[in-house]
Amino acid sequence: MDRRAVFKTAWIGGLLLAPQLLLVFTFFYWPTGAALFWAFTLERPWGGGNEFAGLDNFRMVFSDAAYWGAVWRSMVFALGSTALAMGLALLFALFCDRQLRGYKAYQTMLIWPYAVAAPAAGVAFRFLFAPEAGVFAALNKIHPDFWNPSVNGVHAMILIIVAYSWKYLAYNFIFFLAALQSIPRTLIEASAMDGSGPLRRMWDIQFPLLAPTLFFLLVINLTDSFVDSFGIIDLTTGGGPSKATTLMVYKIYFDGFKGLDYSGAAAQSIVLMLLVMALTFVQFRYIERRVHYR
């Protein structure tokens, strides 16, 4: 039975689409077009027009050692946060799927972090892991600077990875739990009757059937880690110490809004967009072929 909505006049459909089209144009196409324009021109800090610069802005970006440092740190952050968020989410989903004691309460609580805004999560982790009053304060009294992200770049990177992973753990948990509950129980029960233990059943039955969900979450987590980490970085470390947590997205903000280098920041945003597109293409080209959809 055909259930398509048919409008007698075209303007009704256009009117219903207008708000969504306006949002897409305002928050995607317009900023993207402006970034492309600024990336190929020289934007004066105090206004006064633009001058065509060709590829000069991109040459300056690629010749900057600090920018390549931000690229390397972004890669480390993306891989670390993705592995931590997906690994813990899968572990918790397996526990809830097995219906261990108290799983209903854990299932509810594990969803809440995703509703917390990134800046709020950054402020919370900044106080929780503060070296003078946080969870490591007692250890710092015994061994000074055992944990001090304000002066140790490795500690600062660990802090933002943990904060970001905590927020995205809930998102991954929802998908993993839904995927696990969609696996027919008859398969698990038959395997258990054949003598397979829980770990064997997870490896031979559940993990292969989770491949589509794993691939989807891998793409989402890696993509978002490059573009959605600004709020946590800005409220926890501010890109420090000594730019140890200045990732690509934060360097765009710092160069553009603090250094007033609008053209250079626009060129960096274009490079970041192309990098995310290339990373997504590689995943779909070389990883998806190993995924078996049931």
Side-chain angles (χ1 to χ4, degrees):
M1 182 177 179
D2 192 359
R3 296 180 178 273
R4 291 181 298 174
V6 179
F7 300 102
K8 295 181 179 179
T9 56
W11 67 268
I12 297 179
L15 186 63
L16 294 174
L17 287 173
Q20 184 66 29
L21 294 176
L22 181 61
L23 288 174
V24 172
F25 175 78
T26 303
F27 295 103
F28 181 76
Y29 290 111
W30 189 1
T32 303
L36 284 170
F37 174 74
W38 289 338
F40 292 96
T41 59
L42 182 61
E43 177 77 10
R44 296 189 178 94
W46 308 109
N50 304 76
E51 298 178 2
F52 181 74
L55 298 176
D56 290 346
N57 293 321
F58 293 94
R59 294 191 186 98
M60 292 181 62
V61 168
F62 292 135
S63 62
D64 185 6
Y67 180 75
W68 289 108
V71 173
W72 166 249
R73 289 187 291 270
S74 298
M75 294 291 184
V76 172
F77 174 82
L79 294 176
S81 61
T82 299
L84 184 60
M86 291 184 62
L88 289 178
L90 179 58
L91 181 64
F92 293 153
L94 288 169
F95 286 158
C96 288
D97 183 59
R98 292 193 63 201
Q99 299 184 359
L100 301 180
R101 179 178 298 179
Y103 79 99
K104 285 290 186 182
Y106 293 120
Q107 182 174 334
T108 302
M109 289 188 294
L110 285 171
I111 297 175
W112 289 348
Y114 190 64
V116 178
V123 171
F125 274 85
R126 180 177 180 179
F127 283 99
L128 283 173
F129 290 89
E132 65 277 358
V135 294
F136 291 105
L139 292 175
N140 280 335
K141 291 180 180 179
I142 300 174
H143 188 286
D145 290 336
F146 174 83
W147 170 263
N148 195 347
S150 60
V151 298
N152 191 306
V154 176
H155 295 174
M157 179 61 74
I158 294 174
L159 174 58
I160 62 173
I161 288 177
V162 171
Y164 183 87
S165 301
W166 174 83
K167 176 171 171 54
Y168 268 81
L169 186 149
Y171 181 87
N172 297 329
F173 169 78
I174 295 171
F175 280 91
F176 277 134
L177 184 60
L180 286 170
Q181 292 180 345
S182 68
I183 298 176
R185 290 293 173 184
T186 54
L187 294 177
I188 307 299
E189 294 171 357
S191 178
M193 293 177 64
D194 289 339
S196 299
L199 294 178
R200 189 68 179 179
R201 294 197 298 270
M202 291 178 191
W203 184 258
D204 290 341
I205 298 177
Q206 291 176 306
F207 285 167
L209 294 176
L210 286 176
T213 303
L214 284 166
F215 173 72
F216 167 76
L217 291 177
L218 178 65
V219 174
I220 296 297
N221 279 259
L222 284 177
T223 302
D224 286 355
S225 65
F226 280 96
V227 299
D228 196 29
S229 56
F230 170 80
I232 289 177
I233 296 173
D234 193 47
L235 270 298
T236 52
T237 63
S242 300
K243 299 183 178 181
T245 55
T246 300
L247 308 187
M248 296 175 70
V249 66
Y250 195 80
K251 193 174 190 307
I252 293 173
Y253 157 78
F254 190 87
D255 290 352
F257 291 93
K258 296 295 183 66
L260 300 179
D261 183 11
Y262 302 127
S263 300
Q268 293 180 46
S269 67
I270 298 301
V271 173
L272 177 58
M273 181 180 65
L274 294 176
L275 176 62
V276 171
M277 292 173 61
L279 184 61
T280 305
F281 172 79
V282 169
Q283 292 178 89
F284 275 93
R285 180 66 176 83
Y286 297 102
I287 300 179
E288 190 187 21
R289 62 173 59 181
R290 301 177 181 273
V291 176
H292 300 282
Y293 295 91
R294 53 189 172 92

Coordinates of all heavy atoms in Angstrom, one line a residue, residues 80-111:
G80 N 43.4 6.9 20.9 CA 43.3 6.6 22.3 C 41.9 6.7 22.8 O 41.4 5.8 23.5
S81 N 41.2 7.8 22.4 CA 39.8 8.0 22.9 C 38.9 6.9 22.3 O 38.0 6.4 22.9 CB 39.4 9.4 22.6 OG 39.4 9.6 21.2
T82 N 39.1 6.6 21.0 CA 38.2 5.7 20.3 C 38.4 4.3 20.9 O 37.4 3.6 21.2 CB 38.5 5.6 18.8 OG1 38.3 6.9 18.2 CG2 37.7 4.5 18.1
A83 N 39.6 3.9 21.2 CA 39.9 2.5 21.7 C 39.3 2.4 23.1 O 38.6 1.4 23.5 CB 41.4 2.2 21.8
L84 N 39.5 3.5 23.9 CA 39.0 3.5 25.3 C 37.5 3.5 25.4 O 36.8 2.7 26.1 CB 39.6 4.6 26.1 CG 39.2 4.7 27.6 CD1 39.7 3.5 28.3 CD2 39.8 6.0 28.2
A85 N 36.9 4.4 24.6 CA 35.4 4.6 24.7 C 34.7 3.3 24.1 O 33.7 2.8 24.7 CB 35.0 5.8 23.9
M86 N 35.2 2.8 23.0 CA 34.5 1.6 22.4 C 34.8 0.3 23.3 O 33.9 -0.5 23.4 CB 35.0 1.4 21.0 CG 34.5 2.5 20.0 SD 35.0 2.1 18.3 CE 34.1 0.6 18.0
G87 N 36.0 0.2 23.8 CA 36.4 -1.0 24.6 C 35.5 -1.1 25.8 O 35.0 -2.1 26.2
L88 N 35.5 0.0 26.6 CA 34.7 0.0 27.8 C 33.2 -0.1 27.6 O 32.5 -0.8 28.3 CB 35.0 1.3 28.6 CG 36.3 1.4 29.3 CD1 36.5 2.8 30.0 CD2 36.6 0.3 30.2
A89 N 32.7 0.5 26.5 CA 31.3 0.4 26.2 C 30.9 -1.0 25.8 O 29.9 -1.5 26.2 CB 31.0 1.3 25.0
L90 N 31.8 -1.7 25.1 CA 31.5 -3.1 24.7 C 31.5 -4.0 25.9 O 30.7 -4.9 26.1 CB 32.5 -3.6 23.7 CG 32.4 -5.0 23.2 CD1 31.0 -5.3 22.6 CD2 33.5 -5.4 22.2
L91 N 32.5 -3.7 26.8 CA 32.6 -4.5 28.1 C 31.3 -4.3 28.9 O 30.7 -5.3 29.4 CB 33.8 -4.1 28.8 CG 34.1 -4.8 30.2 CD1 34.3 -6.3 29.9 CD2 35.2 -4.2 30.9
F92 N 30.9 -3.1 29.1 CA 29.7 -2.9 29.9 C 28.4 -3.4 29.2 O 27.5 -3.9 29.9 CB 29.5 -1.4 30.1 CG 30.6 -0.8 31.0 CD1 30.9 0.6 30.9 CD2 31.3 -1.5 31.9 CE1 31.9 1.1 31.7 CE2 32.2 -1.0 32.7 CZ 32.6 0.3 32.6
A93 N 28.4 -3.3 27.9 CA 27.2 -3.9 27.2 C 27.1 -5.4 27.3 O 26.0 -6.0 27.5 CB 27.3 -3.5 25.7
L94 N 28.3 -6.0 27.3 CA 28.3 -7.5 27.5 C 27.8 -7.9 28.9 O 27.1 -8.8 29.1 CB 29.7 -8.0 27.3 CG 30.2 -8.1 25.8 CD1 31.7 -8.3 25.7 CD2 29.4 -9.1 25.0
F95 N 28.2 -7.1 29.9 CA 27.8 -7.4 31.2 C 26.3 -7.2 31.4 O 25.6 -8.0 32.0 CB 28.5 -6.5 32.2 CG 29.9 -6.9 32.5 CD1 30.8 -6.0 33.0 CD2 30.4 -8.2 32.2 CE1 32.2 -6.3 33.2 CE2 31.7 -8.5 32.4 CZ 32.6 -7.6 32.9
C96 N 25.8 -6.1 30.8 CA 24.3 -5.8 30.9 C 23.5 -6.9 30.1 O 22.4 -7.3 30.4 CB 24.0 -4.4 30.4 SG 24.5 -3.1 31.5
D97 N 24.1 -7.3 28.9 CA 23.4 -8.3 28.1 C 23.3 -9.6 28.8 O 22.3 -10.4 28.6 CB 24.1 -8.4 26.8 CG 23.4 -9.4 25.8 OD1 22.2 -9.1 25.5 OD2 24.0 -10.4 25.4
R98 N 24.2 -9.9 29.7 CA 24.2 -11.2 30.4 C 23.3 -11.1 31.6 O 23.1 -12.0 32.3 CB 25.6 -11.6 30.9 CG 26.6 -12.0 29.8 CD 27.8 -12.6 30.3 NE 27.4 -13.9 31.0 CZ 28.2 -14.4 31.9 NH1 29.4 -13.9 32.3 NH2 27.9 -15.6 32.5
Q99 N 22.8 -9.9 31.9 CA 21.8 -9.6 33.0 C 22.4 -10.0 34.3 O 21.8 -10.8 35.1 CB 20.5 -10.4 32.7 CG 19.8 -10.0 31.4 CD 18.4 -10.6 31.2 OE1 18.1 -11.5 32.1 NE2 17.7 -10.3 30.2
L100 N 23.6 -9.5 34.6 CA 24.2 -9.7 35.9 C 23.4 -8.9 36.9 O 22.6 -8.0 36.6 CB 25.7 -9.2 35.8 CG 26.6 -9.9 34.8 CD1 28.0 -9.4 34.9 CD2 26.6 -11.4 35.1
R101 N 23.7 -9.1 38.2 CA 23.0 -8.5 39.2 C 23.1 -6.9 39.2 O 24.2 -6.4 39.0 CB 23.5 -8.9 40.6 CG 22.8 -8.3 41.8 CD 23.3 -8.9 43.1 NE 23.1 -10.3 43.2 CZ 23.5 -11.1 44.2 NH1 24.2 -10.5 45.2 NH2 23.2 -12.4 44.3
G102 N 21.9 -6.3 39.2 CA 21.9 -4.8 39.1 C 22.1 -4.3 37.7 O 22.4 -3.1 37.6
Y103 N 21.9 -5.1 36.7 CA 22.2 -4.6 35.3 C 21.2 -3.5 34.9 O 21.5 -2.7 34.1 CB 22.1 -5.8 34.4 CG 20.7 -6.2 34.0 CD1 20.1 -5.8 32.8 CD2 20.0 -7.1 34.8 CE1 18.9 -6.2 32.4 CE2 18.7 -7.5 34.5 CZ 18.2 -7.1 33.3 OH 16.9 -7.5 32.9
K104 N 20.0 -3.5 35.4 CA 19.0 -2.5 35.1 C 19.5 -1.1 35.5 O 19.4 -0.1 34.8 CB 17.7 -2.8 35.7 CG 16.9 -3.9 35.0 CD 16.4 -3.5 33.6 CE 15.5 -4.5 33.0 NZ 15.1 -4.1 31.6
A105 N 20.0 -1.0 36.7 CA 20.5 0.3 37.2 C 21.7 0.7 36.4 O 21.8 1.9 36.1 CB 20.9 0.1 38.7
Y106 N 22.7 -0.2 36.2 CA 23.8 0.2 35.3 C 23.4 0.6 33.9 O 24.0 1.5 33.4 CB 24.8 -1.0 35.3 CG 25.4 -1.3 36.6 CD1 25.3 -2.6 37.2 CD2 26.2 -0.4 37.3 CE1 25.9 -2.9 38.4 CE2 26.8 -0.7 38.5 CZ 26.6 -1.9 39.1 OH 27.2 -2.2 40.2
Q107 N 22.4 -0.1 33.4 CA 22.0 0.2 32.0 C 21.4 1.6 32.0 O 21.6 2.3 31.0 CB 20.9 -0.8 31.6 CG 20.3 -0.6 30.2 CD 19.4 -1.7 29.9 OE1 19.5 -2.8 30.4 NE2 18.5 -1.4 29.0
T108 N 20.8 2.1 33.0 CA 20.2 3.4 33.0 C 21.3 4.5 33.3 O 21.4 5.5 32.6 CB 19.1 3.5 34.1 OG1 18.1 2.6 33.9 CG2 18.5 4.9 34.1
M109 N 22.2 4.2 34.2 CA 23.2 5.2 34.6 C 24.2 5.4 33.4 O 24.8 6.5 33.3 CB 23.9 4.7 35.8 CG 23.1 4.9 37.1 SD 24.0 4.6 38.6 CE 24.4 2.8 38.4
L110 N 24.5 4.3 32.7 CA 25.5 4.4 31.6 C 25.1 5.2 30.4 O 25.9 5.6 29.6 CB 25.9 3.0 31.2 CG 26.8 2.2 32.1 CD1 27.0 0.8 31.7 CD2 28.2 2.9 32.2
I111 N 23.8 5.5 30.4 CA 23.3 6.3 29.3 C 23.4 7.8 29.6 O 23.5 8.6 28.7 CB 21.8 5.9 28.9 CG1 21.8 4.5 28.5 CG2 21.2 6.8 27.9 CD1 20.4 3.9 28.3

